[in-house]
């Protein structure tokens, strides 16, 4: 295992741990206002200081991690759950109208950045964390569909797939038995990348008010709240931002590390 | 080449039609009647009916779609439900902030990423490569709007090199306008540049393993000459794909980052429109954004053909 | 004085010693062939001369070109030398040219990079060079891109690039391995002419001993990084000293004895098979629309018969093979196995009775499965596949039949060599005792000594299991020994069919004759003499 993978796994699990612990314990109630102790810098009581309502930032960051992780995780789930079967189907039926349809639909979805999807959903149903999940999730579908199809197509050309076809196995069975396990590594790596992109996207959407709504805490909205106070209380912006950077960096390092760690074995078996 | 361009052009047109259909019918399912919303709860039914027919809401869906699309083609985007002014005028002012910002950022990102990626690839595994890769790893992880806030804190509030926000307008001169877009463009460009530099580096490294690079070396080209003369143009093919994708990220990013710099772009317009349920404005802005993304991807497709002769001779 | 002299060359990559004490000479106007099986270090010797070794490689000893020790030169000095004094031709013409630059620019580049001529004269010279290598201006203007040329034509461009500055030494690394026999003969003739015309030294790296015997003035035989034997071609062929050399030559011309075929009773019948492709236009010259890969092909394969199918790349033999396997649909005619029509619809009945062995011993297996699961994949087609102990025993028996051990069932595919993998592929094809096996270039990727073993195995299996097979190959010498009857395919049609010995002995069709005459042949060697 590489240093990247270890460091990445460490950072990511730290964030996940904070999110899990927040269910049973936070230093303070993250919603409790305490106007007299507002806008404190980090200190021994409020480890990361307080915001303009005197709320404990450390507690808010812990609970905010929940929102970020939940949104990004479900969005990756949507992307994988729909994108992978679509990609496998398109590859298995390469060149057919079905393949064409799937790929055209993919291209179309790619033309709608998740922000645009979020704008549309919010315009119709009003704001909420669920919008962010759907918007990011929809954007993830073509990402996974494309990457699955691309990798699967090159596998379909391989002779072991021909051998399986000669052995009388159908496309669905070959996809499940031979194709999917051989593209799994790639999808796991892409999964961590999309997960980290999801964290970033969720923060952006919450920042402009299209994501989680009060009282659900979120890093993006903490930044939006901090904006007018940056000049005299920069820690309000620095801390949630750093939380995002640490999480995304951790996930990316883990993705890179995983790719390197999983790849050599594939290379050995290919040669 | 012409054949290829025509084929891509046809696909562009089809994408636009389908996208417009999707947007129109998604907005259609929105609950509530815009006319009663605009007139408030106490409005007389005939007043509402009159407004509905003025807005064209009493026609069939298909007729409304066709008039919406044909209107857009001629530059008529309809009337804002809230402001009762032509949407086209509202959008065009704002578009001239958001679109230049995205393009400015795209240019910056490319200008930074190309040298960084080439430098790293040429020094693979050496300290220079490690430094670039470390910086890009960090850059990829930074949310652009937060980075923007940090830039404001440093360069506008502390150093006072830039105004903290706002937009002077293009009529104040190109330089002034660009100056107010510079900080936002940097905030948008650097994280994207980090991604692009990584793609450039790995594309070049892939190419370095190709047989024709060895052929080039056998002719007497040095490593560097081979990289520049044979590697770069081939590496552009995957890099172009990413540049195309980045444009849509940058456009979305521009809309978000406008909030940090108080720029009067499409972002502010669309968020106001959402809160006032001015759906025709939302619909038009979304269509404009999608149009921009699809068009840029069409241009990227054409650029592929310029780079890769194999595409040109294919239908 | 010799042109190139390699003395005591040792090469290390990391902790692996790739070359051990290599000594080799090339004189002006002389063709020296360096031969050996994969892993012998023959290509690495060539790259050592070019100074194009991996960064981690360390070379010691001397490589002198006209008295100048190349190993002591700086990288900049080597850049000045490469392309000017030493030219190189590579194995894969399909990937050796930059796809986004015109052939004219790429040939000119050799001249311009060494500032040998101003651009306009360089352009003129590039034109002359392309004319010289057989790419005339009317069909091959300088503005052509590589993808518009065939493999043989691309190899001519690579040669033009390599000889642009009339180098003293030309190194050719398997220059014809990726080419068809007729193209190979033309490229070899071109190289031979150029050597004479320019008085170049040619160091040709090849695994093909027939090419070696045909072309070289001197032969260097390598194995595991060591020169085992070297000498003039005639002397070496007449009197081989080293047992490895003898084994290599014997294996190259390996003959097997097949049991006689039973009386004719049709098993596989192909009647008027037609296969069309709707191809995207690949080049300016290819016709758009349909491409008919297989045109009205008919033949019968009898039970117990070993039938060969030969032809050059693009002749349609692979397409025909896929159609017989039911992997691709026909647009006309039909194929039946024992009277049952073969279609692309899954039909366990057909699948059970027909199996296949592919060319690539590396790509034929799912890297994630163990050997027992790999070879038992065809059990899928059986109504009641064996389970438990029966299954284990059948796998063990089949592995033994192909010369492997039952314990190998628990290993992964990457733990085996190429030859062993091909045995596993045969085991997979054999395990359900199919009535027909297709061998699709099944020994083409193997070294000659391994190939000889696999051919022996096939002969043994013919004896033990009365195999019926269709052996598809571009390699005439293999088809000649391993089949009873033979089909010759050209441009989607079968142009000649008959008993193998008759076809090779007295070919009737002009194409068959050109194919046989183009294939280099090993001279009769008395291996018992030494």
């Amino acid at each position: 295992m590489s240093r990247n993978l270890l460091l990445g796994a460490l950072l990511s699990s730290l964030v996940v741990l904070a999110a899990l612990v927040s269910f049973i314990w936070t230093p303070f109630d993250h919603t409790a206002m305490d106007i007299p102790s507002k806008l404190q810098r980090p200190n021994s009581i409020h480890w990361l200081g307080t915001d303009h309502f005197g709320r404990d930032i450390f507690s808010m960051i812990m609970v905010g991690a929940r929102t970020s992780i939940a949104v990004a995780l479900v969005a990756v789930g949507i992307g994988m759950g729909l994108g992978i079967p679509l990609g496998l189907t398109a590859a298995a039926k390469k060149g057919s109208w079905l393949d064409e349809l799937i790929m055209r639909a993919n291209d179309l979805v790619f033309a709608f950045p998740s922000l645009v999807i979020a704008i549309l959903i919010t315009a119709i149903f009003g704001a909420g964390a669920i919008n962010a999940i759907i918007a990011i999730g929809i954007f993830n579908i073509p990402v996974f569909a494309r990457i699955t199809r691309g990798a699967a197509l090159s596998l379909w050309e391989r002779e072991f797939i021909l051998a399986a076809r000669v052995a009388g196995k159908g496309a669905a069975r070959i996809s499940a038995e031979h194709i999917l396990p051989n593209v799994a590594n790639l999808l796991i790596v892409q999964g961590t990348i999309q997960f980290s992109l999801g964290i970033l996207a969720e923060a952006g959407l919450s920042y402009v008010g299209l994501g989680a709504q009060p009282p659900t805490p979120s890093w993006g909205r903490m930044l939006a709240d901090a904006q007018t106070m940056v000049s005299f209380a920069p820690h309000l912006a620095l801390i949630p931002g750093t939380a995002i950077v640490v999480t995304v960096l951790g996930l990316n390092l883990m993705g890179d590390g995983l790719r390197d760690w999983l790849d050599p074995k594939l290379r050995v078996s290919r040669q | 080449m012409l054949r290829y361009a025509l084929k891509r052009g046809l696909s562009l047109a089809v994408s636009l039609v389908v996208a417009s259909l999707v947007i129109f019918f998604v907005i259609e399912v929105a609950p509530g009647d815009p006319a009663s919303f605009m007139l408030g709860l106490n409005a007389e039914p005939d007043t509402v009916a009159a407004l509905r027919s003025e807005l064209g809401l009493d026609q069939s869906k298909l007729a409304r779609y066709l008039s919406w699309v044909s209107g857009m083609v001629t530059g008529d985007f309809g009337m804002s439900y809230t402001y009762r002014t032509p949407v086209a005028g509202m959008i065009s002012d704002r578009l001239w902030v958001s679109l230049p910002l995205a393009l400015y950022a795209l240019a910056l990102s490319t200008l930074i990423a190309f040298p960084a990626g080439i430098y790293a690839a040429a020094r693979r595994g050496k300290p220079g490569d490690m430094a670039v890769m470390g910086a890009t790893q960090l850059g990829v992880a930074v949310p652009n709007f937060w980075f923007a806030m940090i830039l404001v804190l440093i360069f506008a509030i502390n150093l006072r090199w830039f105004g903290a926000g706002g937009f002077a307008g293009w009529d104040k001169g190109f330089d002034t306008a660009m100056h107010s877009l510079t900080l936002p463009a940097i905030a948008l460009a650097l994280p994207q540049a980090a991604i692009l530099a990584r793609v450039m580096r790995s594309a070049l490294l892939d190419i370095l393993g190709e047989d024709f690079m060895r052929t080039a070396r056998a002719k007497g080209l040095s490593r560097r000459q081979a990289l520049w003369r044979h590697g770069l143009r081939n590496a552009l093919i995957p890099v172009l794909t990413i540049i195309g994708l980045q444009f849509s990220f940058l456009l979305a990013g521009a809309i978000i980052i406008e909030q940090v710099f108080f720029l009067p772009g499409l972002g502010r317009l669309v968020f106001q429109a959402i809160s006032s349920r001015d759906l025709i404005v939302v619909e038009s802005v979304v269509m404009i954004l999608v149009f921009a993304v699809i068009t840029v991807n069409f241009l990227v497709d054409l650029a592929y053909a310029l780079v890769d002769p194999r595409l040109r001779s294919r239908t | 004085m010799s042109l190139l002299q390699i003395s005591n060359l040792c090469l290390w990559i990391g902790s692996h010693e790739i070359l051990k004490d290599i000594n080799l000479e090339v004189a002006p106007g002389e063709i020296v062939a360096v031969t050996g099986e994969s892993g012998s270090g023959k290509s690495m010797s060539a790259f050592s001369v070019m100074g194009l070794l991996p960064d981690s490689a360390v070379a010691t000893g001397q490589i002198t070109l006209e008295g100048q020790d190349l190993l002591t030169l700086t990288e900049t000095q080597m850049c000045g030398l490469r392309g000017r004094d030493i030219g190189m031709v590579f194995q894969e013409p399909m990937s050796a040219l930059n796809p986004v630059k015109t052939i004219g620019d790429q040939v000119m580049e050799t001249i311009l990079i060494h500032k040998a001529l101003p651009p306009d004269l360089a352009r003129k010279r590039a034109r002359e060079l392309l004319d010289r290598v057989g790419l005339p201006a009317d069909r091959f203007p300088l503005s052509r891109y590589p993808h518009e040329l065939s493999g043989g034509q691309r190899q001519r461009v690579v040669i033009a690039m390599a000889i642009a500055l009339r180098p003293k030494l030309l190194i050719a690394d398997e220059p014809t391995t990726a080419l068809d026999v007729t193209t190979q003969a033309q490229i070899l003739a071109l190289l031979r002419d150029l050597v004479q015309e320019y008085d170049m030294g040619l160091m040709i790296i090849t695994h093909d001993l027939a090419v070696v015997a045909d072309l070289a003035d001197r032969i260097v035989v390598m194995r595991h990084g060591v020169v085992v034997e070297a000498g003039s071609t005639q002397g070496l062929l007449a009197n081989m000293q080293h047992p490895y050399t003898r084994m290599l030559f014997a294996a190259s011309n390996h003959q097997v004895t097949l049991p006689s075929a039973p009386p004719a009773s049709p098993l596989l019948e192909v009647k008027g098979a037609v296969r069309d492709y709707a191809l995207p236009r690949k080049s300016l010259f290819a016709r758009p629309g349909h491409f008919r890969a297989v045109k009205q092909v008919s033949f019968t394969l009898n039970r117990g018969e070993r039938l060969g199918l030969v032809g050059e790349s693009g002749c349609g033999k692979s397409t025909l093979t896929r159609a017989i396997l039911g992997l691709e649909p026909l647009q006309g005619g039909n194929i039946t196995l024992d009277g049952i029509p073969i279609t692309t619809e899954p039909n366990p009945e057909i699948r059970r009775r027909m199996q296949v062995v592919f060319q690539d011993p590396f790509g034929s297996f799912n890297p994630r499965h163990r050997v027992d699961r790999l070879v038992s994949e065809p059990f899928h087609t059986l109504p009641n596949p064996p389970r438990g102990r029966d299954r284990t025993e059948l796998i063990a028996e089949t592995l033994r039949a192909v010369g492997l051990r039952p314990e190998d069932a628990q290993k992964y595919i990457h733990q085996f060599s190429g030859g062993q993998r091909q045995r596993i592929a045969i085991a997979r094809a054999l395990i359900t005792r199919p009535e027909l096996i297709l061998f699709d270039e099944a020994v083409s990727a193997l070294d000659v000594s391994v190939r000889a073993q696999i051919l022996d195995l096939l002969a043994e299996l013919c004896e033990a299991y009365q195999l019926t097979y269709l052996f598809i190959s571009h390699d005439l010498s293999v088809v000649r020994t391993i089949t009873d009857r033979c089909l010759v395919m050209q441009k989607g049609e079968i142009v000649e069919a008959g008993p193998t010995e008759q076809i090779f002995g007295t070919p009737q069709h002009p194409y068959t004759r050109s194919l046989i005459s183009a294939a280099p042949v090993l001279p009769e060697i008395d291996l018992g003499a030494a």
Side-chain angles (χ1 to χ4, degrees):
Chain A
M1 251 200 259
S2 68
R3 265 206 332 252
N4 271 0
L5 185 52
L6 277 177
L7 183 65
L10 191 76
L11 289 178
S12 318
S13 44
L14 213 67
V15 178
V16 172
L17 195 70
L20 291 176
V21 169
S22 77
F23 282 106
I24 46 172
W25 175 82
T26 50
F28 291 85
D29 177 358
H30 70 276
T31 54
M33 298 194 194
D34 178 13
I35 305 291
S37 45
K38 67 175 184 178
L39 293 176
Q40 285 180 9
R41 298 287 162 113
N43 57 57
S44 58
I45 301 164
H46 294 286
W47 298 339
L48 292 177
T50 56
D51 73 353
H52 52 299
F53 293 123
R55 292 177 295 191
D56 181 55
I57 293 179
F58 189 78
S59 308
M60 291 172 76
I61 292 286
M62 280 178 76
V63 183
R66 258 156 44 186
T67 315
S68 288
I69 291 173
V71 170
L73 203 60
V74 178
V76 170
I78 292 174
M80 283 188 154
L82 294 171
I84 295 173
L86 285 174
L88 289 174
T89 310
K93 305 280 171 212
K94 181 195 167 194
S96 70
W97 62 270
L98 193 61
D99 178 26
E100 190 69 12
L101 184 72
I102 291 173
M103 293 324 287
R104 291 281 148 238
N106 265 335
D107 289 347
L108 188 69
V109 177
F110 257 136
F112 288 78
S114 32
L115 178 80
V116 171
I117 303 176
I119 287 174
L120 276 176
I121 300 174
T122 310
I124 300 162
F125 301 110
I130 194 93
N131 295 355
I133 293 181
I134 296 173
I136 303 168
I138 290 180
F139 190 75
N140 278 341
I141 297 171
V143 172
F144 283 103
R146 248 184 215 203
I147 205 156
T148 307
R149 178 177 179 271
L153 275 185
S154 68
L155 284 171
W156 274 101
E157 294 300 313
R158 296 269 293 275
E159 290 180 343
F160 75 89
I161 300 295
L162 292 180
R165 289 174 65 194
V166 172
K169 290 187 176 169
R173 182 151 176 197
I174 290 176
S175 291
E177 201 170 299
H178 289 298
I179 307 276
L180 192 56
N182 279 296
V183 298
N185 284 348
L186 195 64
L187 294 175
I188 291 168
V189 171
Q190 194 63 37
T192 61
I193 293 170
Q194 293 310 119
F195 189 54
S196 77
L197 288 176
I199 302 259
L200 282 175
E202 191 276 335
L205 293 178
S206 305
Y207 172 76
V208 293
L210 297 176
Q213 298 298 305
T216 315
S218 95
W219 295 344
R221 232 196 31 261
M222 288 173 78
L223 285 172
D225 292 343
Q227 195 174 335
T228 49
M229 293 169 277
V230 157
S231 53
F232 55 91
H235 71 284
L236 290 184
L238 289 177
I239 291 164
T242 309
I244 298 172
V245 172
V246 166
T247 312
V248 174
L249 189 65
L251 286 167
N252 284 342
L253 286 175
M254 197 164 85
D256 281 4
L258 273 178
R259 174 167 42 214
D260 296 345
W261 189 55
L262 295 170
D263 210 31
K265 265 199 294 188
L266 267 183
R267 231 176 278 141
V268 166
S269 53
R270 262 187 226 125
Q271 279 165 10
Chain B
M1 179 73 201
L2 187 65
R3 235 189 151 87
Y4 174 83
L6 283 175
K7 203 174 164 204
R8 301 316 306 169
L10 188 68
S11 144
L12 165 90
V14 172
S15 303
L16 285 176
V17 169
V18 178
S20 68
L21 274 168
V22 169
I23 293 168
F24 181 81
F25 285 99
V26 164
I27 291 286
E28 272 301 307
V29 303
D33 175 39
S36 16
F37 187 82
M38 282 160 68
L39 294 169
L41 291 173
N42 303 322
E44 296 292 324
D46 352 336
T47 332
V48 175
L51 183 62
R52 280 179 61 85
S53 85
E54 187 194 327
L55 294 173
L57 292 173
D58 52 349
Q59 292 163 356
S60 76
K61 279 197 167 80
L62 185 67
R64 298 220 325 276
Y65 170 74
L66 290 177
S67 82
W68 178 58
V69 169
S70 59
M72 274 194 302
V73 173
T74 56
D76 174 14
F77 286 66
M79 288 291 224
S80 157
Y81 297 160
T82 322
Y83 299 106
R84 303 282 186 103
T85 52
V87 175
M90 294 165 74
I91 289 182
S92 73
D93 287 352
R94 312 305 189 93
L95 191 62
W96 287 110
V97 178
S98 301
L99 197 61
L101 175 55
L103 291 174
Y104 189 3
L106 191 65
L108 275 182
S109 156
T110 312
L111 280 176
I112 298 165
F114 273 42
I118 296 168
Y119 175 86
R123 280 171 187 65
R124 180 187 198 174
K126 297 193 179 132
D129 179 28
M130 311 277 236
V132 172
M133 290 309 282
T136 57
Q137 188 68 265
L138 194 67
V140 170
V142 173
N144 50 31
F145 65 94
W146 178 67
F147 186 49
M149 291 166 77
I150 306 288
L151 288 181
V152 168
L153 187 63
I154 297 173
F155 293 103
I157 295 174
N158 288 331
L159 296 174
R160 297 182 179 282
W161 290 357
F162 293 90
F167 181 65
W170 292 102
D171 44 357
K172 294 278 189 308
F174 182 77
D175 289 355
T176 323
M178 287 302 271
H179 190 255
S180 44
L181 291 182
T182 295
L183 217 46
I186 292 174
L188 275 174
L190 280 184
Q192 294 299 318
I195 296 175
L196 196 58
R198 292 177 83 88
V199 173
M200 183 57 145
R201 175 183 178 271
S202 71
L204 276 173
L205 291 183
D206 284 349
I207 299 291
L208 287 183
E210 293 282 342
D211 283 353
F212 63 79
M213 293 300 277
R214 196 179 55 189
T215 311
R217 300 266 290 130
K219 285 189 212 173
L221 275 74
S222 70
R223 268 169 213 268
R224 186 154 303 185
Q225 284 170 323
L227 185 75
W228 281 99
R229 290 170 182 233
H230 294 275
L232 208 55
R233 199 159 146 198
N234 280 287
L236 270 182
I237 297 167
V239 167
L240 272 174
T241 311
I242 301 299
I243 290 182
L245 277 180
Q246 286 204 325
F247 180 75
S248 75
F249 282 112
L250 286 171
L251 202 55
I255 283 170
I256 293 179
I257 231 164
E258 283 164 11
Q259 308 298 304
V260 180
F261 292 94
F262 308 102
L263 294 175
L266 287 176
R268 205 182 317 158
L269 177 67
V270 78
F271 295 128
Q272 277 169 0
I274 289 174
S275 49
S276 58
R277 293 196 61 74
D278 199 346
L279 290 184
I280 190 154
V281 172
V282 175
E283 190 176 45
S284 306
V285 171
V286 165
M287 190 61 221
I288 289 282
L289 293 176
V290 171
F291 177 82
V293 171
I294 292 179
T295 309
V296 165
N297 280 324
F298 168 70
L299 294 177
V300 166
D301 279 343
L302 292 190
Y304 277 139
L306 288 181
V307 172
D308 191 344
R310 286 165 293 187
L311 280 178
R312 262 177 263 157
S313 53
R314 236 174 255 166
T315 43
Chain C
M1 193 196 103
S2 65
L3 169 68
L4 174 78
Q5 177 139 23
I6 300 178
S7 1
N8 307 108
L9 175 69
C10 294
L11 181 72
W12 291 78
I13 295 179
S15 58
H16 294 280
E17 191 172 14
I18 307 291
L19 299 176
K20 293 167 202 157
D21 236 5
I22 301 293
N23 291 288
L24 194 158
E25 279 180 31
V26 182
E30 185 186 36
I31 300 178
V32 174
V34 181
T35 190
E37 296 185 290
S38 44
S40 63
K42 56 189 191 300
S43 288
M44 275 299 163
S45 319
F47 286 111
S48 303
V49 178
M50 288 301 280
L52 290 178
L53 293 165
D55 286 338
S56 54
V58 181
T60 61
Q62 275 194 323
I63 302 175
T64 56
L65 185 75
E66 293 194 313
Q68 188 177 33
D69 187 353
L70 303 183
L71 289 181
T72 62
L73 295 185
T74 63
E75 173 57 25
T76 317
Q77 288 170 313
M78 276 310 286
C79 282
L81 208 96
R82 279 184 218 120
R84 199 189 67 209
D85 295 334
I86 316 174
M88 185 152 183
V89 179
F90 303 92
Q91 174 171 359
E92 281 300 332
M94 302 313 274
S95 55
L97 293 171
N98 185 341
V100 303
K101 289 199 163 197
T102 63
I103 57 172
D105 282 348
Q106 298 193 56
V107 175
M108 274 169 68
E109 189 174 36
T110 312
I111 303 164
L112 294 177
I113 202 80
H114 293 284
K115 302 195 172 56
L117 290 172
D120 49 336
L121 289 179
R123 177 167 296 276
K124 216 170 135 236
R125 173 83 182 126
R127 185 62 265 162
E128 289 165 14
L129 283 161
L130 287 177
D131 290 340
R132 174 63 193 89
V133 298
L135 300 175
D138 52 338
R139 286 174 55 216
F140 302 96
L142 296 177
S143 56
R144 271 286 122 82
Y145 283 98
H147 70 272
E148 299 165 335
L149 309 184
S150 72
Q153 290 161 351
R154 290 187 210 193
Q155 196 62 306
R156 289 173 191 270
V157 175
V158 175
I159 292 173
M161 278 162 39
I163 59 161
L165 295 175
R166 292 185 167 243
K168 301 173 185 112
L169 176 67
L170 184 65
I171 299 176
D173 183 13
E174 302 275 7
T176 57
T177 304
L179 305 175
D180 286 324
V181 276
T182 44
T183 318
Q184 162 168 294
Q186 293 160 6
I187 294 288
L188 291 177
L190 173 64
L191 286 175
R192 194 187 282 128
D193 290 352
L194 287 170
V195 164
Q196 278 201 345
E197 190 179 327
Y198 291 3
D199 200 28
M200 283 187 298
L202 171 63
M203 175 175 170
I204 181 169
I205 317 295
T206 177
H207 69 283
D208 189 333
L209 291 176
V211 169
V212 170
D214 206 32
L215 185 73
D217 300 317
R218 281 195 312 118
I219 298 178
V220 176
V221 182
M222 288 183 70
R223 182 197 197 187
H224 302 324
V226 178
V227 173
V228 296
E229 193 164 356
S232 74
T233 304
Q234 285 187 337
L236 190 134
L237 289 180
N239 185 12
M240 292 180 208
Q241 295 300 316
H242 199 281
Y244 179 73
T245 315
R246 287 202 292 271
M247 186 283 288
L248 213 53
F249 276 89
S252 295
N253 202 13
H254 190 70
Q255 301 294 322
V256 296
T257 318
L258 295 175
S260 54
S265 104
L267 175 63
L268 178 77
E269 285 177 282
V270 178
K271 285 183 193 147
V274 171
R275 175 75 179 112
D276 287 335
Y277 283 116
L279 280 182
R281 210 156 69 153
K282 279 234 168 68
S283 79
L284 289 169
F285 302 98
R287 275 181 306 146
H290 286 297
F291 170 69
R292 184 154 287 191
V294 177
K295 303 168 187 163
Q296 298 279 350
V297 164
S298 302
F299 68 89
T300 303
L301 172 56
N302 293 314
R303 224 174 269 279
E305 188 180 36
R306 281 77 45 150
L307 183 65
L309 175 60
V310 296
E312 297 185 294
S313 55
C315 73
K317 62 186 193 298
S318 307
T319 308
L320 181 59
T321 308
R322 284 176 174 232
I324 294 172
L325 287 168
L327 297 176
E328 285 186 12
L330 288 180
Q331 277 70 42
N334 60 68
I335 303 175
T336 54
L337 183 70
D338 205 10
I340 310 165
I342 297 174
T343 62
T344 51
E345 297 301 311
N347 179 351
E349 177 73 18
I350 292 281
R351 300 299 187 206
R352 183 165 62 240
R353 299 166 76 167
M354 179 164 62
Q355 279 297 320
V356 62
V357 177
F358 290 111
Q359 169 175 12
D360 181 8
F362 301 98
S364 304
F365 301 98
N366 188 336
R368 290 165 187 281
H369 294 169
R370 287 180 209 275
V371 167
D372 57 348
R373 187 162 174 196
L374 293 173
V375 299
S376 61
E377 185 155 43
F379 282 176
H380 172 72
T381 57
L382 300 179
N384 349 291
R387 294 181 196 285
R389 178 187 289 267
D390 288 351
R391 179 175 179 275
T392 321
E393 272 178 9
L394 184 54
I395 292 171
E397 185 200 323
T398 312
L399 287 177
R400 267 194 299 266
V402 298
L404 294 170
R405 293 166 308 147
E407 304 89 272
D408 290 331
Q410 295 310 310
K411 292 189 189 160
Y412 286 98
I413 197 68
H414 67 259
Q415 294 168 279
F416 296 92
S417 69
Q420 287 171 321
R421 288 179 201 207
Q422 220 52 346
R423 288 173 189 269
I424 295 169
I426 294 171
R428 174 171 63 189
L430 207 56
I431 199 159
T432 52
R433 304 285 179 270
E435 289 159 48
L436 171 64
I437 300 181
L438 273 66
F439 290 97
D440 187 2
E441 300 279 5
V443 298
S444 302
L446 304 175
D447 276 328
V448 283
S449 58
V450 181
R451 188 176 74 193
Q453 291 161 14
I454 298 290
L455 292 178
D456 281 337
L457 173 67
L458 285 184
E460 282 166 33
L461 293 173
C462 283
E463 197 79 63
Y465 298 100
Q466 285 89 47
L467 294 188
T468 307
Y469 58 71
L470 179 62
F471 197 97
I472 301 108
S473 181
H474 71 277
D475 188 330
L476 300 176
S477 68
V478 170
V479 171
R480 186 169 191 172
T481 182
I482 203 75
T483 64
D484 311 309
R485 210 156 59 85
C486 185
L487 311 170
V488 181
M489 199 162 174
Q490 182 201 17
K491 291 180 185 160
E493 285 173 283
I494 290 180
V495 295
E496 189 163 358
T500 305
E501 266 321 303
Q502 190 182 314
I503 288 204
F504 281 84
T506 51
Q508 299 303 311
H509 194 273
Y511 177 71
T512 316
R513 281 203 289 267
S514 75
L515 210 55
I516 291 170
S517 69
V521 189
L522 272 178
E524 288 296 324
I525 299 162
D526 184 8
L527 291 159

